[in-house]
Amino acid sequence: MSKREKTIAELKPWKLLLWTAIAGLIFGLLGLGEVAEDYLRVARNGLHRHNASGDIVVIAIDDHSLRQVGNWPWPRRYDAQMVDRLTAAGAHRIYFDLNFSFASNPTDDATFAAAIQRSGRVNLFVRSVIGDLSSKKAISDRPLPIFRQNAKLALANADYNYQNAALRLPFAATLDGQKVPSFAASLANIDGPAGKWFPLDYSLKLESIPTYSAAALLDGRLPKSALAGKDVVIGMTSEILNDIFFIPGHGRAGGVYVQTIGAETLKSGTPLDLGWIPLFLAALALGALVVQRRRGRDQALLLMGAFLLFLFGPAPLEARLVFLDITPALFVLLIVGSVLAWRAYRTSGLVNPVSSLPNLNALRLARDGRKRPLVAARILNYEEIVSTLPPNSESRLIEQIVARLRVGSPNRKLYQGDGGIFAWFEEIQQPLGNHLDALHALFRNPARVGGLSMDLTIAFGVELGSGRSLGNRLASALVAADEAAHHGLKWKYHDPESLQNASWRLSMLSRLDEAIDRGEVWVAYQPKVDIASRRIIGAEALARWTHPDKGPIAATEFVAAAEQHDRIGKLTDFVLDHAVSAAARINKRGSDFSIAVNLSARLLTDKGFTLRLSALLARHGLAPNLLTLELTETAALGESGEALDMINRLRDLGINIAIDDYGTGQSTLEYLKKIPATELKIDQSFVKGIVDNRSDRLMVQSTIGLAHSLGRKVVAEGVEHRDILELLAEMECDIAQGFAVGRPMNIETLMKRITSTGRRTAA
């Protein structure tokens, strides 16, 4: 326990309550109990589960529907067909939780618009800028005018938490000067105030919401009795369409259920969210009562009773849609209970039970060593040695270790931790390095216990002193000892910079997701030139991360980390969206321009990837043959049949496949015949050496001949000099990429380059 914590433990009752109140306020204001709050509310929901009203029916665009109709997005004639069937069946109102903000086939769009007009009971999805419900901000998604003119609008915004679970929905919003109700409020016939939110009642049984597949509706297999007089919500529930959210207490489900649960909540009454202040004040009052008690047993009983009351007491209120947050109150009770427990236990638990040496908890409380160097010694094979000792012999081993560590300082106060860790504060009377060298030499002689002779392997780490807590200093000294052992050194000083780098590496992946959302990650484009005509015919899209403090982060660092920890999906979707959009813009100017994007091997098993990609191409209006997905040779040549099936599906869509870094793996003719690649990219390690290295030149020449014989194009990457470009032209290589053609650049620079160069040669 730190000096500050110990001081708090010794506070008088009123001071303890004051500090507890301050800590509880900070806890509540910062929302630090959000995770625990969600899990506790889910647990209480189990005490008052109830069924849905049955007035709202969900039509699910599920996996079965996708298999029957085809790739998403569907032609809008199917949306029209669903409207007509629902209207004929007597559905009261029809809600589409789908995005109709982009144009598709004009005939299909007109068919859908006509169905909306015939029905007169259709409500369509609209969304304001995230987090904003005022008319001053732009609407991010709204139906096309052809659809809006005969349909009502319903707001699809939600306030999500860390689990991607919707905690709150709005009653309504003012958009373009008009009040637009939310899906939930419209379904529940509630005319709520604009800009005000309400919590969702997740004690509703999700399975009690009537749900039917869109395939059954399109086939005419749904009886009219299931739809007549009902409000019908049409939305996506298939995992592969990525409109999936976390439903507390139920797991992952389609976003359509979020709006439906919101409507069922409002049908049950008007939710009242009282927040955390009432129970927080009640906890402070109970805490004051507890600290006035003298007997520890009375204090424990009061605290336990209050804890159980706050834990389960809100359940009856939540059943009546009155919501209370309990974690700040529980936090107050935990602080009071912890301090009281510490007062009773403060002098115990500070001694190692085997050696009777003070343990590491005692070190953390030490006041006399804060300004002295802290040395940590780690016996690397301690656990292995102890496992071979006779029973009750560990203390004799520790005696020999302690005797050696005290050589030169017989009164040295040693602290012992588990697993062969020893530490002390060093008095600087001689060069510390020489002293540690001498101690290390003492451990060359084996220890003898119970007739056994055992070699001790030791390493030392030193933290010279800082303003950090003793716990942090000890951890740094132990890290230094581990680094010394790893590099074969006797001892090592702690390097603060290495700690900062380690902290950065540990948090990089979570920072990457945030960086994408904040716009720190962007896409650079490296042009590709047709060697014969010297015209720019395409580019490769490359992820770049410019951190506001650290500046540019190497792509090899964050891309490899994202792939290694299976976090590459969001980054790939981000790059694909920008790359396809950029290629579409360039092609609309009259250029025949293709774009290439790297595809991780991990995404070859993502069953929803092809559907998302086809939807992306349709949204931006880019022909599939103008997109190339680049796979490393190792990924492309993998043994996984599932991966090969994915590659074939991508080719069936018309998308080109390139084998990247060709020549660095274990390629064979059989593999090259099996994989439907359209081009090979020769690794730059071979291309750079073709002028001076005969072996590299032969390898590149033979690869070009092999690829052409198989009907595939060849891209040479790493073309950094004009003489390499000229030699590649003699070899009849198709495409070149590298600094001699152009460095990675932003989209504006690339478009200017294409416009200005025209048909000029690249050099």
Side-chain angles (χ1 to χ4, degrees):
M1 195 174 195
S2 69
K3 180 178 179 181
R4 179 177 178 80
E5 290 171 325
K6 186 173 181 180
T7 301
I8 291 175
E10 296 170 347
L11 288 176
K12 293 181 179 180
W14 70 270
K15 289 186 177 180
L16 169 60
L17 289 173
L18 176 61
W19 283 110
T20 300
I22 293 173
L25 281 171
I26 294 173
F27 183 93
L29 291 172
L30 295 181
L32 300 179
E34 181 181 358
V35 176
E37 193 75 58
D38 293 342
Y39 282 104
L40 291 172
R41 181 162 292 171
V42 168
R44 293 194 301 274
N45 285 342
L47 302 176
H48 50 89
R49 292 285 184 195
H50 62 282
N51 292 323
S53 65
D55 298 334
I56 303 173
V57 174
V58 170
I59 298 297
I61 299 175
D62 51 13
D63 293 340
H64 177 62
S65 304
L66 293 175
R67 286 193 296 269
Q68 176 172 309
V69 176
N71 288 342
W72 187 261
W74 290 346
R76 286 179 176 153
R77 60 180 176 274
Y78 291 104
D79 300 311
Q81 186 177 347
M82 287 193 287
V83 169
D84 289 338
R85 289 190 181 278
L86 290 170
T87 303
H92 179 220
R93 291 175 296 182
I94 304 167
Y95 290 78
F96 277 92
D97 189 15
L98 302 174
N99 190 348
F100 293 107
S101 64
F102 57 93
S104 67
N105 180 285
T107 301
D108 286 340
D109 287 351
T111 301
F112 183 43
I116 294 174
Q117 184 178 14
R118 286 193 300 271
S119 174
R121 62 191 73 176
V122 175
N123 294 261
L124 297 180
F125 164 114
V126 64
R127 180 187 290 124
S128 73
V129 172
I130 294 174
D132 186 86
L133 299 178
S134 71
S135 59
K136 297 179 181 179
K137 299 291 184 180
I139 300 174
S140 61
D141 295 305
R142 77 172 81 206
L144 295 174
I146 190 176
F147 304 142
R148 294 201 304 269
Q149 59 187 3
N150 293 301
K152 295 181 179 179
L153 299 181
L155 187 69
N157 278 50
D159 182 20
Y160 298 100
N161 71 353
Y162 63 97
Q163 289 180 303
N164 206 27
L167 296 182
R168 304 183 303 159
L169 295 179
F171 283 100
T174 302
L175 303 177
D176 292 338
Q178 292 186 335
K179 183 178 177 181
V180 178
S182 66
F183 260 77
S186 177
L187 283 164
N189 297 310
I190 299 295
D191 185 15
K196 185 176 180 181
W197 302 74
F198 66 90
L200 282 80
D201 178 16
Y202 281 116
S203 63
L204 177 78
K205 294 180 181 178
L206 193 65
E207 62 275 10
S208 68
I209 299 174
T211 302
Y212 305 99
S213 173
L217 176 63
L218 290 169
D219 291 344
R221 290 185 282 112
L222 290 185
K224 290 186 177 181
S225 59
L227 303 170
K230 308 288 187 182
D231 287 327
V232 179
V233 186
I234 303 171
M236 297 179 287
T237 63
S238 173
E239 286 269 1
I240 60 180
L241 294 182
N242 214 24
D243 188 28
I244 300 297
F245 299 88
F246 182 75
I247 307 295
H250 301 281
R252 291 165 58 81
V256 63
Y257 288 109
V258 173
Q259 302 296 337
T260 306
I261 290 173
E264 293 287 353
T265 300
L266 294 177
K267 280 178 172 289
S268 300
T270 302
L272 178 61
D273 189 357
L274 297 179
W276 56 273
I277 294 293
L279 288 185
F280 169 74
L281 296 175
L284 284 177
L286 282 169
L289 182 62
V290 168
V291 297
Q292 296 301 321
R293 299 286 177 170
R294 292 183 178 274
R295 295 177 57 186
R297 182 179 178 182
D298 293 343
Q299 292 176 335
L301 288 174
L302 276 173
L303 282 171
M304 183 61 67
F307 199 86
L308 292 175
L309 176 64
F310 291 159
L311 203 58
F312 298 105
L317 295 174
E318 289 168 351
R320 291 165 176 78
L321 299 183
V322 178
F323 296 92
L324 287 161
D325 291 342
I326 66 172
T327 51
L330 296 180
F331 180 70
V332 166
L333 295 179
L334 285 173
I335 290 180
V336 173
S338 298
V339 172
L340 294 177
W342 175 252
R343 287 176 176 175
Y345 189 71
R346 188 169 54 192
T347 57
S348 62
L350 302 179
V351 175
N352 185 285
V354 178
S355 65
S356 297
L357 289 172
N359 60 21
L360 298 183
N361 286 330
L363 182 145
R364 295 184 180 96
L365 295 175
R367 297 182 178 182
D368 56 347
R370 296 184 177 276
K371 296 182 180 180
R372 288 188 286 162
L374 176 59
V375 180
R378 188 188 288 276
I379 309 297
L380 304 174
N381 56 344
Y382 185 85
E383 299 288 2
E384 181 181 357
I385 292 174
V386 171
S387 67
T388 65
L389 291 176
N392 304 318
S393 299
E394 185 179 357
S395 60
R396 280 181 278 169
L397 172 65
I398 295 173
E399 288 173 2
Q400 296 187 46
I401 294 173
V402 169
R404 300 183 193 196
L405 292 176
R406 282 179 172 162
V407 169
S409 299
N411 296 322
R412 172 177 290 147
K413 184 175 182 179
L414 294 173
Y415 300 86
Q416 183 189 353
D418 295 334
I421 295 174
F422 298 85
W424 68 91
F425 297 103
E426 184 61 67
E427 293 284 356
I428 303 178
Q429 297 178 350
Q430 57 179 312
L432 185 55
N434 294 344
H435 180 56
L436 294 178
D437 286 339
L439 289 180
H440 192 277
L442 293 174
F443 283 86
R444 293 175 184 171
N445 296 323
R448 299 184 181 276
V449 179
L452 299 175
S453 179
M454 294 154 291
D455 291 326
L456 296 171
T457 306
I458 192 169
F460 299 94
V462 183
E463 206 275 354
L464 285 176
S466 64
R468 298 184 300 148
S469 70
L470 287 176
N472 287 339
R473 291 185 60 199
L474 175 62
S476 298
L478 289 170
V479 168
D482 289 339
E483 291 176 349
H486 178 73
H487 294 98
L489 303 175
K490 299 173 184 177
W491 57 273
K492 189 176 186 298
Y493 286 119
H494 163 64
D495 182 2
E497 185 175 348
S498 67
L499 188 64
Q500 294 175 358
N501 292 336
S503 175
W504 163 254
R505 289 193 300 270
L506 290 171
S507 63
M508 182 173 62
L509 286 177
S510 62
R511 293 172 186 262
L512 175 59
D513 288 345
E514 296 173 359
I516 293 174
D517 296 335
R518 288 196 299 261
E520 296 172 14
V521 177
W522 56 285
V523 179
Y525 301 88
Q526 185 168 31
K528 298 162 72 172
V529 69
D530 178 79
I531 295 179
S533 65
R534 304 301 171 93
R535 293 180 57 248
I536 295 176
I537 59 169
E540 179 180 357
L542 303 167
R544 293 291 184 262
W545 181 4
T546 304
H547 191 274
D549 298 323
K550 290 183 172 289
I553 307 298
T556 53
E557 182 179 353
F558 70 85
V559 173
E563 188 166 19
Q564 181 180 358
H565 293 85
D566 203 17
R567 301 276 288 275
I568 195 67
K570 181 173 182 177
L571 181 61
T572 301
D573 289 346
F574 172 82
V575 174
L576 273 170
D577 186 51
H578 283 71
V580 170
S581 173
R585 288 171 58 191
I586 295 174
N587 279 279
K588 287 177 182 177
R589 295 189 173 192
S591 301
D592 190 11
F593 184 87
S594 65
I595 196 72
V597 178
N598 288 292
L599 182 65
S600 167
R602 291 183 178 272
L603 294 179
L604 293 178
T605 56
D606 183 350
K607 296 181 180 179
F609 180 73
T610 53
L611 289 173
R612 296 200 306 274
L613 186 56
S614 61
L616 177 67
L617 292 168
R619 186 166 72 249
H620 291 295
L622 183 70
N625 66 302
L626 295 176
L627 173 64
T628 300
L629 296 179
E630 298 185 359
L631 295 164
T632 61
E633 184 179 338
T634 303
L637 305 181
E639 297 290 344
S640 170
E642 189 176 2
L644 188 58
D645 291 342
M646 169 69 82
I647 296 175
N648 282 309
R649 286 198 298 272
L650 292 170
R651 287 294 296 127
D652 291 341
L653 289 175
I655 295 168
N656 295 314
I657 300 296
I659 298 179
D660 199 6
D661 300 334
Y662 183 80
T664 60
Q666 303 294 324
S667 53
T668 66
L669 284 174
E670 181 183 357
Y671 275 131
L672 294 181
K673 288 170 60 180
K674 182 189 300 183
I675 296 171
T678 53
E679 66 182 42
L680 302 181
K681 291 192 73 176
I682 304 177
D683 187 72
Q684 60 181 323
S685 61
F686 299 102
V687 174
K688 290 179 179 179
I690 62 173
V691 175
D692 302 317
N693 188 299
R694 183 173 179 272
S695 298
D696 289 346
R697 187 161 57 251
L698 290 174
M699 190 276 177
V700 172
Q701 181 69 71
S702 62
T703 300
I704 294 172
L706 173 63
H708 287 170
S709 68
L710 295 174
R712 298 171 185 178
K713 292 184 177 181
V714 179
V715 180
E717 54 182 348
V719 180
E720 297 185 353
H721 304 290
R722 184 184 180 88
D723 51 356
I724 297 177
L725 190 63
E726 298 301 333
L727 189 52
L728 288 170
E730 294 178 13
M731 295 180 179
E732 299 183 351
C733 183
D734 302 296
I735 301 168
Q737 176 183 347
F739 290 173
V741 175
R743 295 176 179 269
M745 59 191 70
N746 59 35
I747 183 60
E748 290 77 14
T749 303
L750 177 64
M751 295 179 73
K752 290 179 181 178
R753 172 87 179 270
I754 294 172
T755 303
S756 63
T757 55
R759 295 181 176 273
R760 289 184 300 168
T761 60

